[in-house]
Amino acid sequence: MKSLAFFALSAIATAAFAVTPAAPNTINITGTSNQTASVNGTLLKNTANSMAYANQNTASNKGNVQISGTSNQTANLNGGAVTNDAVKGGDVAIQSLASNVGDVKVTGTSNQTANVNGANMSNTAVGNGCYGCDAGTAVAYQNAASNQGHVEITGTSNQNFSVTSPAAVSNKADGGDTLAVQNLASNYGDVKITGTSNQTASFSGHAVIANLARGWGAVAYQNVASNDSCEPPPVVCRGVYCGPLASAH
C-alpha cells in the first residue's frame, strides 16, 4: 500500500529551454533547473507495506539525471510533517529533500537548500520481514540538501540545511539487518565537485536531530555538513549499488 496525502503543498519544477528524455531511465535538462517545494502546515506522507520499498522525493533528483546548467533545489517545511515509511517485507526507505540520489551530473552551479521550521521530517524502515532473502533488512536513507551515490558537479556546490524549533528530523532503521544513514548538507558516496564546495547546517532552539539504528545488525551513519565516501563499507551490500536501488545507479 502506498499513500500520499497533501493539502497545502505547492510544488514547482521548471526547466528553462528544454527537458527531454534522452534514453530509457535518463532525464536530460538543458538549461537552468529550478525545483521548489513548500509544505505549509500540512502532511506529505509516503508509505509502503507488504513487500515494502518507500521512496519519497521532494524537490529532488533520483536515478539517472543530467543537468547542463545551474541546478536550484529548494524545500521549505513550515509546520506540518513530511514522512516516509517502509514497513517490513524487503523494507528500504529513502527520503530526499532538495537532494540528488543515484547517478546525477550537474554541469554548472548546484544550489541545494532545505529548511525545516516548526515541522517534522521523518524516515523509517521497520525490519524482520525481509522478502525473498534470508535476512530481515530494514535500510533507511535520509537526505536533506545532500548528494548520495555517484554525483558529479562541475562548478560551485552550495548546500544549506536549517532546523528551527519546535521541530524534529529523524531517520530510523528498526530491527532485522538494519542500517540508518542520515545526510544533512552532506555528500555521501562517490561525489566529485570541480569547484568551491560550501556546506552549512544550522539548528536552533530545542530541535531534535536523530539517526537511529536499532536491532541485531544496527549500523548508523550521521553526516552533518560533511563528506563521507562510505569507507569502510557495510558488511552487507546495501544502498544505491545493490538491491532495489541498483536501477537508480
Side-chain angles (χ1 to χ4, degrees):
M1 179 183 69
K2 196 171 186 179
S3 61
L4 173 66
F6 58 94
F7 302 97
L9 166 70
S10 65
I12 304 172
T14 64
F17 303 120
V19 179
T20 56
N25 302 319
T26 300
I27 296 176
N28 272 357
I29 298 176
T30 302
T32 299
S33 173
N34 298 314
Q35 297 170 290
T36 303
S38 299
V39 179
N40 301 306
T42 188
L43 172 65
L44 180 62
K45 181 178 182 179
N46 187 55
T47 303
N49 296 111
S50 187
M51 292 185 290
Y53 182 49
N55 184 85
Q56 183 183 58
N57 300 309
T58 306
S60 296
N61 296 309
K62 169 78 183 299
N64 298 313
V65 181
Q66 295 187 17
I67 301 172
S68 299
T70 299
S71 174
N72 299 310
Q73 298 169 292
T74 304
N76 295 309
L77 310 184
N78 300 301
V82 175
T83 66
N84 186 54
D85 301 293
V87 184
K88 298 189 175 179
D91 301 319
V92 184
I94 309 169
Q95 183 182 55
S96 301
L97 198 69
S99 296
N100 296 311
V101 177
D103 194 345
V104 181
K105 182 177 181 178
V106 178
T107 305
T109 298
S110 173
N111 298 309
Q112 298 169 294
T113 302
N115 301 307
V116 179
N117 303 308
N120 177 55
M121 177 182 176
S122 68
N123 186 55
T124 304
V126 180
N128 288 323
C130 187
Y131 175 78
C133 61
D134 57 3
T137 54
V139 182
Y141 286 102
Q142 184 181 58
N143 300 298
S146 295
N147 298 306
Q148 176 191 341
H150 180 72
V151 180
E152 183 176 349
I153 299 171
T154 304
T156 299
S157 172
N158 298 309
Q159 298 168 290
N160 298 284
F161 178 65
S162 69
V163 180
T164 303
S165 182
V169 177
S170 64
N171 184 52
K172 181 171 67 174
D174 195 354
D177 200 28
T178 68
L179 172 69
V181 178
Q182 184 182 57
N183 301 309
L184 309 176
S186 296
N187 297 310
Y188 181 82
D190 184 8
V191 179
K192 180 180 180 180
I193 299 173
T194 306
T196 301
S197 174
N198 301 307
Q199 298 168 296
T200 303
S202 62
F203 312 121
S204 63
H206 300 285
V208 176
I209 313 299
N211 185 53
L212 309 170
R214 301 188 300 190
W216 61 268
V219 185
Y221 296 97
Q222 185 180 56
N223 298 307
V224 180
S226 300
N227 298 309
D228 185 347
S229 63
C230 313
E231 294 178 351
V235 176
V236 180
C237 178
R238 302 181 176 91
V240 295
Y241 299 101
C242 61
L245 304 183
S247 61
H249 183 70

mmCIF file of all heavy atoms in Angstrom, residues 77-102:
data_model
loop_
_atom_site.group_PDB
_atom_site.id
_atom_site.type_symbol
_atom_site.label_atom_id
_atom_site.label_comp_id
_atom_site.label_asym_id
_atom_site.label_seq_id
_atom_site.Cartn_x
_atom_site.Cartn_y
_atom_site.Cartn_z
ATOM 1 N N LEU A 77 9.765 23.440 4.770
ATOM 2 C CA LEU A 77 8.735 22.811 5.579
ATOM 3 C C LEU A 77 8.378 23.778 6.697
ATOM 4 O O LEU A 77 9.196 24.059 7.573
ATOM 5 C CB LEU A 77 9.230 21.484 6.173
ATOM 6 C CG LEU A 77 9.889 20.477 5.213
ATOM 7 C CD1 LEU A 77 10.214 19.192 5.965
ATOM 8 C CD2 LEU A 77 9.005 20.203 4.030
ATOM 9 N N ASN A 78 7.164 24.284 6.674
ATOM 10 C CA ASN A 78 6.713 25.231 7.688
ATOM 11 C C ASN A 78 5.512 24.629 8.413
ATOM 12 O O ASN A 78 4.386 24.660 7.904
ATOM 13 C CB ASN A 78 6.325 26.567 7.038
ATOM 14 C CG ASN A 78 7.491 27.204 6.303
ATOM 15 O OD1 ASN A 78 8.527 27.494 6.904
ATOM 16 N ND2 ASN A 78 7.347 27.421 5.004
ATOM 17 N N GLY A 79 5.762 24.043 9.579
ATOM 18 C CA GLY A 79 4.700 23.342 10.283
ATOM 19 C C GLY A 79 4.369 22.046 9.554
ATOM 20 O O GLY A 79 4.934 21.725 8.505
ATOM 21 N N GLY A 80 3.474 21.244 10.084
ATOM 22 C CA GLY A 80 3.097 20.007 9.425
ATOM 23 C C GLY A 80 4.174 18.946 9.495
ATOM 24 O O GLY A 80 5.068 18.975 10.348
ATOM 25 N N ALA A 81 4.121 17.995 8.545
ATOM 26 C CA ALA A 81 5.062 16.876 8.580
ATOM 27 C C ALA A 81 5.286 16.290 7.197
ATOM 28 O O ALA A 81 4.396 16.301 6.346
ATOM 29 C CB ALA A 81 4.553 15.799 9.524
ATOM 30 N N VAL A 82 6.492 15.770 6.999
ATOM 31 C CA VAL A 82 6.845 15.018 5.799
ATOM 32 C C VAL A 82 7.366 13.676 6.274
ATOM 33 O O VAL A 82 8.385 13.608 6.978
ATOM 34 C CB VAL A 82 7.918 15.756 4.970
ATOM 35 C CG1 VAL A 82 8.367 14.890 3.796
ATOM 36 C CG2 VAL A 82 7.379 17.082 4.459
ATOM 37 N N THR A 83 6.654 12.590 5.941
ATOM 38 C CA THR A 83 7.019 11.269 6.461
ATOM 39 C C THR A 83 7.157 10.249 5.339
ATOM 40 O O THR A 83 6.433 10.291 4.341
ATOM 41 C CB THR A 83 5.966 10.763 7.466
ATOM 42 O OG1 THR A 83 4.720 10.536 6.785
ATOM 43 C CG2 THR A 83 5.743 11.773 8.588
ATOM 44 N N ASN A 84 8.082 9.319 5.533
ATOM 45 C CA ASN A 84 8.307 8.229 4.576
ATOM 46 C C ASN A 84 8.554 6.955 5.370
ATOM 47 O O ASN A 84 9.436 6.911 6.229
ATOM 48 C CB ASN A 84 9.522 8.548 3.691
ATOM 49 C CG ASN A 84 9.711 7.536 2.587
ATOM 50 O OD1 ASN A 84 8.806 7.266 1.806
ATOM 51 N ND2 ASN A 84 10.907 6.959 2.501
ATOM 52 N N ASP A 85 7.752 5.911 5.106
ATOM 53 C CA ASP A 85 7.847 4.683 5.901
ATOM 54 C C ASP A 85 7.807 3.430 5.032
ATOM 55 O O ASP A 85 6.930 3.287 4.164
ATOM 56 C CB ASP A 85 6.680 4.608 6.901
ATOM 57 C CG ASP A 85 6.641 5.788 7.842
ATOM 58 O OD1 ASP A 85 7.557 5.917 8.664
ATOM 59 O OD2 ASP A 85 5.689 6.592 7.754
ATOM 60 N N ALA A 86 8.765 2.519 5.266
ATOM 61 C CA ALA A 86 8.763 1.191 4.655
ATOM 62 C C ALA A 86 8.622 0.199 5.799
ATOM 63 O O ALA A 86 9.485 0.129 6.672
ATOM 64 C CB ALA A 86 10.063 0.951 3.890
ATOM 65 N N VAL A 87 7.519 -0.538 5.805
ATOM 66 C CA VAL A 87 7.213 -1.412 6.939
ATOM 67 C C VAL A 87 7.300 -2.876 6.531
ATOM 68 O O VAL A 87 6.427 -3.416 5.855
ATOM 69 C CB VAL A 87 5.813 -1.094 7.511
ATOM 70 C CG1 VAL A 87 5.552 -1.954 8.746
ATOM 71 C CG2 VAL A 87 5.714 0.381 7.870
ATOM 72 N N LYS A 88 8.400 -3.505 6.896
ATOM 73 C CA LYS A 88 8.706 -4.917 6.700
ATOM 74 C C LYS A 88 8.745 -5.307 5.228
ATOM 75 O O LYS A 88 8.962 -4.463 4.362
ATOM 76 C CB LYS A 88 7.748 -5.762 7.523
ATOM 77 C CG LYS A 88 7.900 -5.479 9.010
ATOM 78 C CD LYS A 88 7.127 -6.444 9.884
ATOM 79 C CE LYS A 88 7.429 -6.155 11.346
ATOM 80 N NZ LYS A 88 6.707 -7.043 12.252
ATOM 81 N N GLY A 89 8.569 -6.601 4.920
ATOM 82 C CA GLY A 89 8.811 -7.060 3.568
ATOM 83 C C GLY A 89 10.286 -6.869 3.245
ATOM 84 O O GLY A 89 11.156 -7.185 4.053
ATOM 85 N N GLY A 90 10.612 -6.320 2.104
ATOM 86 C CA GLY A 90 12.005 -6.034 1.737
ATOM 87 C C GLY A 90 12.494 -4.728 2.317
ATOM 88 O O GLY A 90 13.638 -4.352 2.119
ATOM 89 N N ASP A 91 11.612 -4.006 3.015
ATOM 90 C CA ASP A 91 11.939 -2.736 3.630
ATOM 91 C C ASP A 91 12.544 -1.737 2.637
ATOM 92 O O ASP A 91 12.150 -1.695 1.493
ATOM 93 C CB ASP A 91 12.869 -2.910 4.837
ATOM 94 C CG ASP A 91 12.273 -3.795 5.908
ATOM 95 O OD1 ASP A 91 11.068 -3.666 6.185
ATOM 96 O OD2 ASP A 91 13.009 -4.599 6.462
ATOM 97 N N VAL A 92 13.475 -0.934 3.037
ATOM 98 C CA VAL A 92 14.155 0.130 2.302
ATOM 99 C C VAL A 92 13.282 1.374 2.207
ATOM 100 O O VAL A 92 12.288 1.423 1.484
ATOM 101 C CB VAL A 92 14.585 -0.281 0.874
ATOM 102 C CG1 VAL A 92 15.367 0.856 0.221
ATOM 103 C CG2 VAL A 92 15.443 -1.522 0.914
ATOM 104 N N ALA A 93 13.687 2.402 2.957
ATOM 105 C CA ALA A 93 13.013 3.694 2.945
ATOM 106 C C ALA A 93 14.028 4.767 2.560
ATOM 107 O O ALA A 93 15.064 4.900 3.201
ATOM 108 C CB ALA A 93 12.414 3.991 4.319
ATOM 109 N N ILE A 94 13.723 5.518 1.515
ATOM 110 C CA ILE A 94 14.619 6.577 1.049
ATOM 111 C C ILE A 94 13.841 7.888 0.993
ATOM 112 O O ILE A 94 12.830 7.984 0.292
ATOM 113 C CB ILE A 94 15.181 6.281 -0.346
ATOM 114 C CG1 ILE A 94 15.788 4.892 -0.406
ATOM 115 C CG2 ILE A 94 16.228 7.319 -0.720
ATOM 116 C CD1 ILE A 94 16.115 4.450 -1.795
ATOM 117 N N GLN A 95 14.308 8.855 1.732
ATOM 118 C CA GLN A 95 13.647 10.162 1.770
ATOM 119 C C GLN A 95 14.640 11.243 1.354
ATOM 120 O O GLN A 95 15.718 11.356 1.921
ATOM 121 C CB GLN A 95 13.117 10.442 3.178
ATOM 122 C CG GLN A 95 12.338 11.744 3.313
ATOM 123 C CD GLN A 95 11.882 11.983 4.743
ATOM 124 O OE1 GLN A 95 12.695 11.976 5.663
ATOM 125 N NE2 GLN A 95 10.588 12.182 4.933
ATOM 126 N N SER A 96 14.266 12.022 0.340
ATOM 127 C CA SER A 96 15.166 13.044 -0.182
ATOM 128 C C SER A 96 14.473 14.395 -0.240
ATOM 129 O O SER A 96 13.379 14.526 -0.789
ATOM 130 C CB SER A 96 15.651 12.661 -1.580
ATOM 131 O OG SER A 96 16.337 11.414 -1.557
ATOM 132 N N LEU A 97 15.129 15.391 0.346
ATOM 133 C CA LEU A 97 14.617 16.757 0.381
ATOM 134 C C LEU A 97 15.688 17.664 -0.228
ATOM 135 O O LEU A 97 16.790 17.766 0.306
ATOM 136 C CB LEU A 97 14.335 17.149 1.833
ATOM 137 C CG LEU A 97 13.420 18.342 2.112
ATOM 138 C CD1 LEU A 97 11.985 18.019 1.714
ATOM 139 C CD2 LEU A 97 13.476 18.714 3.583
ATOM 140 N N ALA A 98 15.364 18.278 -1.391
ATOM 141 C CA ALA A 98 16.330 19.135 -2.093
ATOM 142 C C ALA A 98 17.668 18.415 -2.255
ATOM 143 O O ALA A 98 18.726 18.948 -1.937
ATOM 144 C CB ALA A 98 16.516 20.450 -1.342
ATOM 145 N N SER A 99 17.625 17.185 -2.758
ATOM 146 C CA SER A 99 18.826 16.351 -2.842
ATOM 147 C C SER A 99 18.947 15.650 -4.192
ATOM 148 O O SER A 99 17.994 15.588 -4.970
ATOM 149 C CB SER A 99 18.820 15.308 -1.721
ATOM 150 O OG SER A 99 18.887 15.920 -0.452
ATOM 151 N N ASN A 100 20.136 15.093 -4.430
ATOM 152 C CA ASN A 100 20.395 14.277 -5.613
ATOM 153 C C ASN A 100 20.789 12.882 -5.164
ATOM 154 O O ASN A 100 21.691 12.727 -4.339
ATOM 155 C CB ASN A 100 21.527 14.887 -6.445
ATOM 156 C CG ASN A 100 21.171 16.248 -7.008
ATOM 157 O OD1 ASN A 100 20.104 16.430 -7.587
ATOM 158 N ND2 ASN A 100 22.051 17.226 -6.839
ATOM 159 N N VAL A 101 20.112 11.867 -5.710
ATOM 160 C CA VAL A 101 20.382 10.480 -5.325
ATOM 161 C C VAL A 101 20.510 9.624 -6.578
ATOM 162 O O VAL A 101 19.641 9.660 -7.455
ATOM 163 C CB VAL A 101 19.252 9.916 -4.433
ATOM 164 C CG1 VAL A 101 19.516 8.456 -4.092
ATOM 165 C CG2 VAL A 101 19.117 10.740 -3.156
ATOM 166 N N GLY A 102 21.577 8.865 -6.667
ATOM 167 C CA GLY A 102 21.770 7.976 -7.810
ATOM 168 C C GLY A 102 22.932 8.429 -8.676
ATOM 169 O O GLY A 102 24.014 8.738 -8.178
#
